[in-house]
Amino acid sequence: MYSYSQLTDIQIGGDPLFAPHLLPAPAPGPATVAEFAALAREIAEDRDSWAPLVRYDAASRWYHRVRTGPGYEAWLLSWLPGQGSGRHGHGPSSGVFCVLEGELTELTGPAGAERRLRTPGARHVFAPGYVHEVVNERLTPAVSLHVYFPGLTRMPMHARRCAAA
């Protein structure tokens, strides 16, 4: 005969994996574009959680996944002067991109002809099929946050096309 101090939780209550209805429901994730933009704002405003994680790498952009949840993942990136992403897409993922520190230039359109300066506080939302390049053209480092939904599984690179003459 066992005493209660010798029994395991599984011996007492059974294996919870065989009774999934007893498991807590997963936390709901953002379901709309506005909710994903709000998630990016929430992470961006929590400087104490992300600032100690930032690293800089002279050889290439540094990146670190800072959060995952139902249907999404969030990445922190750092950019030294002159570093860039190359022209790329995001496969089947949509996303929210925002600068946390410094300034970054986003190049879109043929041959990167459309240039947008991205500064702290603004968020840019994009859908699957969006192609761009991000570059730190400034003399100071920059930090950005990228939230993808679904999580990023592909990042196809694209050659720069020449603008029509």
Side-chain angles (χ1 to χ4, degrees):
M1 187 70 140
Y2 291 105
S3 75
Y4 284 112
S5 64
Q6 295 172 326
L7 296 176
T8 67
D9 289 345
I10 291 177
Q11 289 169 316
I12 294 169
D15 188 345
L17 297 178
F18 288 114
H21 64 283
L22 298 176
L23 295 174
T32 66
V33 173
E35 289 174 351
F36 275 97
L39 172 66
R41 183 181 62 243
E42 172 193 322
I43 296 170
E45 290 175 350
D46 188 5
R47 182 177 174 73
D48 290 341
S49 72
W50 60 260
L53 302 173
V54 175
R55 304 287 180 266
Y56 295 96
D57 184 335
S60 69
R61 289 175 298 134
W62 170 90
Y63 52 91
H64 177 75
R65 188 167 60 187
V66 291
R67 191 184 297 183
T68 61
Y72 76 89
E73 62 183 7
W75 292 85
L76 190 64
L77 282 76
S78 71
W79 313 73
L80 288 173
Q83 291 180 337
S85 65
R87 187 174 168 83
H88 67 280
H90 305 92
S93 298
S94 295
V96 180
F97 157 61
C98 56
V99 175
L100 304 176
E101 291 181 351
E103 296 177 336
L104 294 169
T105 302
E106 182 182 28
L107 309 170
T108 59
E114 297 174 35
R115 305 169 70 80
R116 290 180 188 88
L117 184 62
R118 301 292 184 189
T119 58
R123 289 177 306 282
H124 175 65
V125 178
F126 56 87
Y130 185 72
V131 175
H132 68 159
E133 180 174 2
V134 179
V135 181
N136 183 356
E137 296 181 328
R138 302 299 189 193
L139 296 176
T140 56
V143 178
S144 60
L145 174 71
H146 306 251
V147 181
Y148 300 107
F149 45 96
L152 195 62
T153 57
R154 293 182 44 229
M155 196 174 116
M157 300 306 289
H158 295 260
R160 278 209 176 152
R161 300 179 309 234
C162 295

